[in-house]
Coordinates of all heavy atoms in Angstrom, one line a residue:
E181 N 89.9 117.4 97.7 CA 88.9 118.4 97.2 C 87.7 118.6 98.2 O 86.9 119.5 98.0 CB 88.4 117.9 95.9 CG 87.8 116.5 95.9 CD 88.9 115.4 95.9 OE1 90.0 115.6 95.2 OE2 88.7 114.4 96.6
E182 N 87.6 117.8 99.2 CA 86.6 118.0 100.2 C 87.1 118.6 101.5 O 87.9 118.0 102.2 CB 85.9 116.6 100.5 CG 85.2 116.0 99.3 CD 84.4 114.8 99.6 OE1 84.1 114.6 100.8 OE2 84.0 114.1 98.7
P183 N 86.6 119.8 101.8 CA 87.2 120.5 102.9 C 87.0 119.9 104.3 O 87.7 120.2 105.2 CB 86.5 121.9 102.9 CG 85.3 121.7 102.1 CD 85.6 120.6 101.1
D184 N 86.0 119.0 104.4 CA 85.7 118.4 105.7 C 86.2 117.0 105.8 O 86.0 116.3 106.8 CB 84.2 118.4 106.0 CG 83.4 117.7 104.9 OD1 84.0 117.3 103.8 OD2 82.2 117.5 105.1
Y185 N 87.0 116.5 104.8 CA 87.4 115.2 104.8 C 88.3 114.8 106.0 O 88.1 113.8 106.6 CB 88.2 114.9 103.5 CG 88.9 113.5 103.5 CD1 88.1 112.3 103.5 CD2 90.3 113.4 103.4 CE1 88.7 111.1 103.5 CE2 90.9 112.1 103.4 CZ 90.1 111.0 103.5 OH 90.6 109.7 103.5
H186 N 89.3 115.6 106.3 CA 90.1 115.3 107.4 C 89.4 115.3 108.8 O 89.7 114.5 109.6 CB 91.4 116.2 107.4 CG 92.2 116.0 106.2 ND1 92.4 117.0 105.2 CD2 93.0 114.9 105.8 CE1 93.2 116.5 104.3 NE2 93.5 115.3 104.6
A187 N 88.5 116.2 108.9 CA 87.7 116.2 110.2 C 86.9 114.9 110.3 O 86.8 114.4 111.4 CB 86.8 117.5 110.2
R188 N 86.3 114.5 109.2 CA 85.5 113.3 109.2 C 86.4 112.1 109.4 O 86.0 111.1 110.1 CB 84.7 113.1 107.9 CG 83.6 114.1 107.7 CD 83.0 114.0 106.4 NE 81.9 114.9 106.2 CZ 80.6 114.6 106.4 NH1 80.3 113.4 106.8 NH2 79.6 115.5 106.2
L189 N 87.6 112.1 108.8 CA 88.5 111.0 109.0 C 89.0 110.9 110.5 O 89.0 109.8 111.0 CB 89.7 111.2 108.1 CG 90.9 110.2 108.2 CD1 90.3 108.8 107.9 CD2 92.0 110.5 107.2
L190 N 89.3 112.1 111.1 CA 89.7 112.1 112.5 C 88.5 111.5 113.4 O 88.8 110.7 114.3 CB 90.0 113.5 112.9 CG 90.4 113.7 114.4 CD1 91.7 112.8 114.7 CD2 90.7 115.1 114.7
E191 N 87.3 111.9 113.1 CA 86.2 111.4 113.9 C 86.1 109.9 113.8 O 85.9 109.2 114.8 CB 84.9 112.0 113.3 CG 83.6 111.5 114.0 CD 82.4 112.1 113.4 OE1 82.5 112.9 112.5 OE2 81.3 111.8 113.9
Y192 N 86.3 109.3 112.6 CA 86.3 107.9 112.4 C 87.5 107.2 113.1 O 87.3 106.2 113.7 CB 86.3 107.6 110.9 CG 86.3 106.1 110.6 CD1 85.4 105.2 111.2 CD2 87.3 105.6 109.8 CE1 85.5 103.8 110.9 CE2 87.4 104.2 109.5 CZ 86.4 103.3 110.1 OH 86.5 102.0 109.8
V193 N 88.7 107.8 113.0 CA 89.8 107.2 113.6 C 89.6 107.1 115.1 O 89.9 106.0 115.7 CB 91.1 108.0 113.3 CG1 92.3 107.5 114.1 CG2 91.4 108.0 111.8
R194 N 89.1 108.1 115.7 CA 88.9 108.1 117.2 C 87.8 107.1 117.5 O 88.0 106.3 118.5 CB 88.4 109.5 117.7 CG 89.6 110.5 117.7 CD 89.1 111.9 118.0 NE 90.2 112.8 118.2 CZ 90.1 114.1 118.2 NH1 88.9 114.7 118.0 NH2 91.2 114.9 118.5
A195 N 86.7 107.0 116.8 CA 85.7 106.0 117.0 C 86.3 104.6 116.8 O 86.0 103.6 117.6 CB 84.5 106.2 116.1
F196 N 87.1 104.4 115.8 CA 87.7 103.1 115.5 C 88.6 102.7 116.7 O 88.6 101.5 117.1 CB 88.5 103.1 114.2 CG 89.0 101.8 113.7 CD1 88.2 101.0 112.9 CD2 90.2 101.3 114.1 CE1 88.7 99.8 112.4 CE2 90.7 100.1 113.7 CZ 89.9 99.3 112.8
R197 N 89.4 103.6 117.2 CA 90.3 103.3 118.3 C 89.5 102.9 119.5 O 90.0 102.1 120.3 CB 91.2 104.4 118.6 CG 92.3 104.7 117.5 CD 93.3 105.8 117.9 NE 94.2 105.2 118.9 CZ 95.0 105.9 119.6 NH1 95.1 107.2 119.4 NH2 95.8 105.4 120.5
D198 N 88.4 103.5 119.7 CA 87.6 103.2 120.9 C 86.9 101.8 120.8 O 86.9 101.1 121.7 CB 86.5 104.3 121.1 CG 87.0 105.6 121.6 OD1 88.1 105.6 122.2 OD2 86.3 106.6 121.5
D199 N 86.4 101.6 119.6 CA 85.7 100.3 119.4 C 85.6 100.0 117.9 O 84.7 100.5 117.2 CB 84.2 100.3 120.0 CG 83.5 99.0 119.9 OD1 84.0 98.1 119.2 OD2 82.5 98.9 120.5
P200 N 86.5 99.3 117.3 CA 86.5 99.0 115.9 C 85.2 98.4 115.3 O 84.8 98.8 114.2 CB 87.7 98.0 115.7 CG 88.5 98.2 116.9 CD 87.6 98.6 118.0
R201 N 84.6 97.6 116.1 CA 83.3 97.0 115.6 C 82.2 97.9 115.5 O 81.3 97.8 114.7 CB 83.0 95.8 116.5 CG 84.0 94.6 116.4 CD 83.5 93.5 117.3 NE 84.5 92.4 117.2 CZ 84.6 91.4 116.3 NH1 83.7 91.5 115.3 NH2 85.5 90.5 116.3
A202 N 82.2 98.9 116.4 CA 81.0 99.9 116.5 C 81.3 101.1 115.6 O 80.3 101.8 115.3 CB 80.8 100.3 117.9
A203 N 82.5 101.3 115.2 CA 82.8 102.5 114.4 C 82.2 102.4 113.0 O 82.4 101.4 112.3 CB 84.3 102.7 114.3
H204 N 81.5 103.4 112.5 CA 80.9 103.4 111.2 C 81.8 104.1 110.2 O 82.1 105.3 110.3 CB 79.6 104.1 111.2 CG 78.5 103.4 112.0 ND1 77.9 102.3 111.6 CD2 78.0 103.7 113.3 CE1 77.1 101.9 112.5 NE2 77.1 102.7 113.5
A205 N 82.3 103.4 109.2 CA 83.2 103.9 108.2 C 82.5 104.9 107.4 O 81.4 104.7 106.9 CB 83.8 102.8 107.4
P206 N 83.1 106.1 107.1 CA 82.6 107.1 106.2 C 82.8 106.7 104.7 O 83.8 106.9 104.2 CB 83.3 108.4 106.6 CG 84.6 107.9 107.1 CD 84.4 106.5 107.7
V207 N 81.7 106.2 104.1 CA 81.8 105.7 102.8 C 81.6 106.8 101.8 O 80.7 107.6 102.0 CB 80.8 104.5 102.5 CG1 80.9 104.1 101.1 CG2 81.1 103.4 103.5
R208 N 82.4 106.9 100.8 CA 82.4 108.0 99.8 C 81.0 108.1 99.1 O 80.4 107.0 98.8 CB 83.5 107.9 98.8 CG 83.9 109.1 98.1 CD 85.2 109.0 97.3 NE 85.1 107.9 96.4 CZ 86.2 107.3 95.9 NH1 87.4 107.6 96.3 NH2 86.1 106.3 95.0
E209 N 80.6 109.3 98.7 CA 79.3 109.5 98.2 C 79.0 108.7 96.9 O 77.8 108.3 96.8 CB 79.1 111.0 98.0 CG 80.0 111.6 97.0 CD 79.8 113.1 96.8 OE1 78.9 113.7 97.4 OE2 80.5 113.7 95.9
N210 N 79.9 108.6 96.0 CA 79.6 107.9 94.8 C 79.4 106.4 95.0 O 78.7 105.7 94.2 CB 80.7 108.2 93.7 CG 82.0 107.5 94.0 OD1 82.5 107.5 95.1 ND2 82.5 106.8 93.0
V211 N 80.0 105.9 96.0 CA 79.8 104.5 96.4 C 78.4 104.2 97.0 O 77.7 103.3 96.6 CB 80.9 104.0 97.3 CG1 80.7 102.5 97.8 CG2 82.3 104.1 96.7
V212 N 78.1 105.1 97.9 CA 76.7 105.1 98.5 C 75.6 105.1 97.4 O 74.6 104.4 97.5 CB 76.5 106.2 99.5 CG1 75.1 106.3 100.0 CG2 77.5 106.1 100.7
A213 N 75.9 105.9 96.3 CA 74.9 106.1 95.3 C 74.8 105.1 94.2 O 74.0 105.1 93.4 CB 75.1 107.5 94.6
S214 N 75.7 104.1 94.3 CA 75.8 103.1 93.2 C 75.6 101.7 93.8 O 76.4 101.2 94.6 CB 77.2 103.2 92.5 OG 77.5 102.1 91.7
D215 N 74.7 100.9 93.2 CA 74.5 99.5 93.6 C 75.7 98.7 93.2 O 76.2 97.8 93.9 CB 73.3 98.9 92.9 CG 72.0 99.5 93.4 OD1 72.0 100.0 94.6 OD2 70.9 99.4 92.7
H216 N 76.3 99.0 92.0 CA 77.5 98.3 91.5 C 78.7 98.5 92.5 O 79.3 97.5 92.9 CB 77.9 98.9 90.2 CG 79.2 98.3 89.6 ND1 79.3 97.0 89.2 CD2 80.4 99.0 89.4 CE1 80.6 96.9 88.8 NE2 81.2 98.0 88.9
F217 N 79.0 99.8 92.8 CA 80.2 100.0 93.7 C 79.9 99.5 95.2 O 80.8 99.1 95.8 CB 80.6 101.5 93.7 CG 81.2 101.9 92.4 CD1 80.8 103.0 91.7 CD2 82.3 101.1 91.9 CE1 81.5 103.4 90.5 CE2 82.9 101.5 90.7 CZ 82.5 102.6 90.0
R218 N 78.6 99.6 95.6 CA 78.3 99.1 97.0 C 78.6 97.6 97.1 O 79.1 97.2 98.1 CB 76.9 99.4 97.3 CG 76.6 100.8 97.7 CD 75.4 100.9 98.6 NE 74.2 100.2 98.1 CZ 73.3 100.8 97.3 NH1 73.4 102.0 96.9 NH2 72.3 100.1 96.9
R219 N 78.3 96.9 96.0 CA 78.5 95.5 96.0 C 80.0 95.1 96.1 O 80.5 94.3 96.8 CB 77.9 94.8 94.8 CG 78.1 93.3 94.7 CD 77.2 92.7 93.6 NE 77.5 93.3 92.3 CZ 78.4 92.8 91.5 NH1 79.2 91.8 91.9 NH2 78.6 93.4 90.3
I220 N 80.8 95.9 95.3 CA 82.3 95.6 95.3 C 82.9 96.1 96.6 O 83.8 95.5 97.1 CB 82.9 96.3 94.1 CG1 82.3 95.8 92.8 CG2 84.4 96.1 94.1 CD1 82.8 96.5 91.5
E221 N 82.3 97.2 97.2 CA 82.9 97.7 98.4 C 82.7 96.7 99.5 O 83.5 96.6 100.5 CB 82.1 99.0 98.8 CG 82.6 99.7 100.0 CD 81.8 99.3 101.3 OE1 80.6 98.9 101.1 OE2 82.4 99.4 102.4
Q222 N 81.7 95.8 99.5 CA 81.5 94.8 100.5 C 82.7 93.8 100.5 O 82.9 93.2 101.5 CB 80.2 94.1 100.3 CG 79.0 95.0 100.6 CD 77.7 94.3 100.2 OE1 77.7 93.2 99.7 NE2 76.6 95.0 100.3
T223 N 83.4 93.7 99.4 CA 84.6 92.8 99.3 C 85.8 93.6 99.6 O 86.6 93.2 100.5 CB 84.7 92.2 98.0 OG1 83.6 91.3 97.8 CG2 86.0 91.4 97.8
F224 N 86.1 94.7 98.9 CA 87.4 95.4 99.0 C 87.4 96.5 100.0 O 88.5 97.1 100.2 CB 87.8 95.9 97.6 CG 88.1 94.8 96.6 CD1 87.5 94.8 95.3 CD2 89.0 93.8 96.9 CE1 87.8 93.8 94.4 CE2 89.3 92.8 96.0 CZ 88.7 92.8 94.7
G225 N 86.3 96.9 100.5 CA 86.3 98.0 101.5 C 86.9 97.7 102.8 O 87.2 98.6 103.5
T226 N 87.0 96.5 103.2 CA 87.6 96.1 104.4 C 88.7 95.1 104.2 O 88.7 94.3 103.2 CB 86.6 95.4 105.4 OG1 86.1 94.2 104.9 CG2 85.4 96.4 105.6
L227 N 89.6 95.0 105.1 CA 90.8 94.1 105.0 C 90.3 92.6 105.1 O 90.8 91.8 104.2 CB 91.8 94.4 106.1 CG 93.1 93.7 106.0 CD1 93.8 94.0 104.7 CD2 94.0 94.0 107.2
P228 N 89.5 92.3 106.0 CA 89.0 90.9 106.0 C 88.3 90.4 104.7 O 88.6 89.3 104.2 CB 88.0 90.8 107.2 CG 88.5 91.9 108.1 CD 88.9 93.0 107.2
G229 N 87.5 91.3 104.2 CA 86.8 91.0 102.9 C 87.8 90.8 101.8 O 87.7 89.9 101.0
A230 N 88.7 91.8 101.7 CA 89.7 91.7 100.6 C 90.6 90.4 100.7 O 90.9 89.8 99.7 CB 90.6 92.9 100.6
M231 N 91.0 90.1 101.9 CA 91.9 88.9 102.1 C 91.1 87.6 101.9 O 91.7 86.6 101.4 CB 92.5 88.9 103.5 CG 93.5 90.1 103.7 SD 94.8 90.1 102.6 CE 94.3 91.4 101.5
R232 N 89.8 87.6 102.2 CA 89.0 86.4 101.8 C 89.0 86.2 100.3 O 89.1 85.1 99.8 CB 87.6 86.5 102.4 CG 87.5 86.2 103.8 CD 86.1 86.0 104.3 NE 85.3 87.2 104.2 CZ 85.2 88.1 105.1 NH1 85.8 87.9 106.3 NH2 84.5 89.2 105.0
Y233 N 88.8 87.3 99.6 CA 88.8 87.3 98.1 C 90.2 86.8 97.6 O 90.3 85.9 96.7 CB 88.5 88.7 97.6 CG 88.5 88.8 96.1 CD1 87.4 88.6 95.3 CD2 89.7 89.1 95.4 CE1 87.4 88.7 93.9 CE2 89.7 89.2 94.0 CZ 88.6 89.0 93.3 OH 88.6 89.1 91.9

Side-chain angles (χ1 to χ4, degrees):
E181 54 286 321
E182 295 189 15
D184 59 350
Y185 172 64
H186 294 113
R188 290 174 180 267
L189 179 59
L190 180 60
E191 179 183 358
Y192 176 54
V193 173
R194 287 172 170 167
F196 188 93
R197 292 189 68 190
D198 287 341
D199 186 348
R201 294 182 181 276
H204 294 287
V207 179
R208 199 169 58 202
E209 60 179 3
N210 72 310
V211 175
V212 173
S214 166
D215 290 340
H216 173 70
F217 288 131
R218 281 206 311 271
R219 180 168 59 86
I220 301 176
E221 183 267 335
Q222 290 173 3
T223 293
F224 292 128
T226 67
L227 187 61
M231 292 303 102
R232 281 193 294 270
Y233 178 93

